[in-house]
Amino acid sequence: MLKDNLNYVMKKVCESCHKKSLNVDDITVIAVSKTKPIEMIEELYNNGCRDFGENKVQELLDKYEVLPKDIHWHMIGHLQTNKVKYIVDKVALIHSVDSLRLAETIEREAAKKDCIVNILIEVNMAKEESKFGVYPENLEKLLREIHTLSHIRVKGLMTVAPNVKNPEENREIFTKMKNLSVDIAEKNIDNITMSILSMGMSNDYAIAIEEGANVIRVGTSIFGARNYNIE
Ligand SMILES: *Cc1c(COP(=O)(O)O)cnc(C)c1O
């Protein structure tokens, strides 16, 4: 069943790529496994998935502990500074950095563990009050503060687009994100590349890819609906 879901998502990814003459190998699909059990992750692993996304530190650690070490773990949720130390040397990418304070904490903990941490800056493109992320007009300033931190590599941007009925409504947000990423790339700030654009979830990943996403974060469409009550 998970295999069928995964195949369906990959088929849609291929269609979006075809539409825009993109190479499907350039797209990374992160299977967002939050709230889902180890067995389901193993099933996807056995079908070739290596990128998984979690939004809680403890849950990520529990899964990291028991699952194969060649999995790339993505921290996609809001990260509290006091929990940074547990994950800096375990995650492939932190998608949700949106303040200098958080970046400085990552720098400090990474220095202690002598590792380099890849991060994305989360942008609140739609300026939703309920969401985390830096506003687009404050992005460059934040990047110019972060770029001197030697244990951090900024790899690009991430956004969580609004929860809309019709995914077409998010197309403009995705286009704006792509433009922002191109603008920043052109400034050639040391230590900062804009090679990753992480946007698009179950509802809108096809459109996100069409507008320039190369990392998509897909939970429900692969794992089925989440039930938060049984936790
Ligand atoms: C839960 C989550 C997703 C996946 O959402 P679905 O709609 O289930 O695909 C993607 N990104 C973030 C940041 C999330 O928290």
Side-chain angles (χ1 to χ4, degrees):
M1 165 208 140
L2 290 186
K3 192 181 178 183
D4 295 337
N5 293 349
L6 182 65
N7 286 342
Y8 177 79
V9 170
M10 287 316 297
K11 187 171 140 255
K12 299 254 292 179
V13 168
C14 284
E15 283 168 10
S16 289
C17 285
H18 188 70
K19 221 164 149 179
K20 297 283 173 174
S21 302
L22 301 166
N23 186 346
V24 69
D25 296 333
D26 294 336
I27 310 288
T28 301
V29 178
I30 298 177
V32 176
S33 46
K34 63 191 185 196
T35 79
K36 298 296 180 182
I38 300 291
E39 298 74 48
M40 289 178 101
I41 300 176
E42 279 171 337
E43 188 178 335
L44 287 164
Y45 181 90
N46 292 333
N47 282 290
C49 288
R50 291 295 179 272
D51 289 272
F52 292 92
E54 292 286 338
N55 68 342
K56 294 215 164 76
V57 166
Q58 189 57 53
E59 189 175 345
L60 190 154
L61 291 172
D62 291 345
K63 289 170 176 173
Y64 175 92
E65 204 54 47
V66 297
L67 284 158
K69 289 293 172 279
D70 62 340
I71 286 178
H72 305 143
W73 290 103
H74 296 261
M75 180 61 199
I76 62 172
H78 180 63
L79 181 56
Q80 288 171 297
T81 49
N82 61 339
K83 299 208 171 141
V84 167
K85 57 176 176 284
Y86 303 114
I87 61 160
V88 276
D89 55 345
K90 299 190 174 63
V91 291
L93 188 63
I94 299 175
H95 292 231
S96 45
V97 178
D98 62 357
S99 71
L100 180 60
R101 195 168 93 90
L102 179 55
E104 284 174 339
T105 307
I106 295 171
E107 168 67 20
R108 231 174 9 253
E109 297 302 332
K112 280 187 207 163
K113 297 219 162 70
D114 197 22
C115 62
I116 302 277
V117 186
N118 295 322
I119 69 164
L120 304 178
I121 306 297
E122 180 170 358
V123 179
N124 187 351
M125 187 50 93
K127 299 193 169 177
E128 292 177 285
E129 281 189 11
S130 59
K131 294 238 167 86
F132 294 102
V134 61
Y135 282 177
E137 62 269 30
N138 300 329
L139 174 64
E140 186 178 349
K141 177 169 176 285
L142 178 63
L143 287 170
R144 292 198 183 275
E145 290 164 340
I146 289 179
H147 88 283
T148 54
L149 304 177
S150 58
H151 294 83
I152 287 182
R153 296 286 178 275
V154 178
K155 296 288 181 185
L157 306 179
M158 177 272 223
T159 197
V160 179
N163 187 2
V164 291
K165 270 229 166 59
N166 179 359
E168 277 296 338
E169 291 171 44
N170 280 337
R171 190 181 288 277
E172 193 187 345
I173 300 274
F174 295 142
T175 313
K176 282 184 175 163
M177 281 293 295
K178 175 66 186 181
N179 291 341
L180 184 61
S181 133
V182 170
D183 287 350
I184 296 289
E186 283 171 354
K187 297 187 192 287
N188 287 317
I189 306 171
D190 281 349
N191 253 342
I192 292 186
T193 63
M194 286 288 127
S195 50
I196 296 179
L197 190 50
S198 167
M199 57 186 194
M201 306 173 24
S202 291
N203 188 37
D204 53 19
Y205 64 86
I207 289 168
I209 291 172
E210 287 175 25
E211 300 309 321
N214 57 4
V215 170
I216 58 172
R217 310 177 308 267
V218 184
T220 310
S221 292
I222 294 177
F223 287 94
R226 286 178 292 275
N227 185 345
Y228 290 97
N229 299 324
I230 56 166
E231 279 182 78

